[in-house]
């Protein structure tokens, strides 16, 4: 028995820690072995998209997609690794639970396809913040249209060359000069609004289970109807 306990203790000491596994995976990726992983389902070269102004690095990407994934930013060594690490390698790095890895992989594919969240079409971003202004265009003597445009930091619409004015989606003009849209905060005394890269601004909000989720809904609701009918009969004097 004593010999078995000693062997068990040695076995526990021999197990690699999460930190050791992370270093091993990062080293394999850095040496170019990640692309040849035997667990990969495809031998094709992974698509690595270019960063965008609002999301220039790994940490910002994990921050905006939310679900507390930014806590894993230090485990992913580079932008290229973010888009090439397999789910098994992410698990070795300590990206848990599995639903977090699946969520990350979904957002990774959406980013590759150019399906961004709010602010994904911004071109002028400084220190994680983008400035929005109202562009007014007279279509005819009786019609004036207003659009929301992204301008370089500290510049007005009048100061910005026409080719640098970037019309953005998901933001509208309300009233004369008020800009409304996701995470848009008014700029004091200047008109316009500012949008900053914020935790969870692209997050897919989890749905909530109703009556136990899909698989148990019918059973739960049937039992509830039975209980309601029984209570009604008792109330009416039918026992």
């Amino acid at each position: 028995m004593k010999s078995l306990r000693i062997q068990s203790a040695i076995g526990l000491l021999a197990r690699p820690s999460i930190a050791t596994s992370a270093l091993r995976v990062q080293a394999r990726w850095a040496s170019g072995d990640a692309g040849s992983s035997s667990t990969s389902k495809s031998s094709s070269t992974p698509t690595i998209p270019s960063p965008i102004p609002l999301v220039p690095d790994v940490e910002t990407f994990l921050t905006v997609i939310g679900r507390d994934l930014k806590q894993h930013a230090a485990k992913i060594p580079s932008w290229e690794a973010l888009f090439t690490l397999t789910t098994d390698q992410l698990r070795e790095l300590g990206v848990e639970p599995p639903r977090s890895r699946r969520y990350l992989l979904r957002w990774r594919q959406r980013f590759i396809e150019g399906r961004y969240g709010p602010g994904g079409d911004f071109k002028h971003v400084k220190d994680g913040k983008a400035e929005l202004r109202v562009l007014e265009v007279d279509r005819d003597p009786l019609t004036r249209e207003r659009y929301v445009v992204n301008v370089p930091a500290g510049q007005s619409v009048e100061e910005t060359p026409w080719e640098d004015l970037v019309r953005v989606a998901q933001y509208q003009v309300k009233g004369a000069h008020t800009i409304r849209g996701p995470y848009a905060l008014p700029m004091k005394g200047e008109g316009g609004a500012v949008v900053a890269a914020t935790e969870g601004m692209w997050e897919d909000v989890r749905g909530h289970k109703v009556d136990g989720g899909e698989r148990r809904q019918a059973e739960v609701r049937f039992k509830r109807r039975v209980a309601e009918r029984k209570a009604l009969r008792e109330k009416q004097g039918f026992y």
Side-chain angles (χ1 to χ4, degrees), residues 124 150-152 155-166:
H124 307 293
N150 173 215
V151 299
Q155 292 189 17
S156 66
V157 170
E158 293 74 21
E159 296 170 330
T160 305
W162 182 261
E163 61 272 16
D164 290 338
L165 295 173
V166 180

Side-chain angles (χ1 to χ4, degrees), residues 49-206:
S50 299
I52 60 175
L54 188 70
V55 183
D57 51 42
V58 173
E59 184 175 2
T60 308
F61 179 86
L62 297 179
T63 297
V64 298
I65 66 174
R67 298 198 184 175
D68 206 27
L69 278 167
K70 68 176 182 179
Q71 65 176 310
H72 302 296
K75 301 172 185 176
I76 301 177
S78 66
W79 184 263
E80 289 74 16
L82 174 65
F83 288 91
T84 55
L85 288 170
T86 66
T87 185
D88 290 336
Q89 290 167 339
L90 290 170
R91 183 182 66 249
E92 289 185 50
L93 289 171
V95 179
E96 296 287 356
R99 66 172 176 267
S100 293
R101 293 195 298 273
R102 292 193 296 267
Y103 179 71
L104 171 56
L105 293 177
R106 286 201 305 272
W107 255 113
R108 195 169 75 174
Q109 183 59 36
R110 288 164 69 173
F111 195 93
I112 289 172
E113 295 171 358
R115 296 189 290 128
Y116 311 127
D121 51 358
F122 294 165
K123 301 300 180 186
H124 307 293
V125 180
K126 182 178 180 181
D127 299 328
K129 299 179 180 179
E131 293 186 10
L132 307 180
R133 305 280 184 172
V134 177
L135 172 66
E136 298 183 339
V137 178
D138 291 328
R139 292 301 181 189
D140 56 57
L142 300 177
T143 306
R144 170 170 290 186
E145 297 181 350
R146 296 180 175 88
Y147 305 102
V148 178
V149 293
N150 173 215
V151 299
Q155 292 189 17
S156 66
V157 170
E158 293 74 21
E159 296 170 330
T160 305
W162 182 261
E163 61 272 16
D164 290 338
L165 295 173
V166 180
R167 186 176 176 184
V168 295
Q170 301 189 45
Y171 295 87
Q172 298 85 34
V173 183
K174 299 295 183 181
H177 295 91
T178 302
I179 295 175
R180 298 287 177 83
Y183 296 89
L185 299 175
M187 299 174 66
K188 295 181 180 179
E190 299 183 33
V194 61
V195 179
T198 306
E199 166 75 15
M201 68 185 298
W202 290 6
E203 182 172 345
D204 294 335
V205 179
R206 290 192 184 101

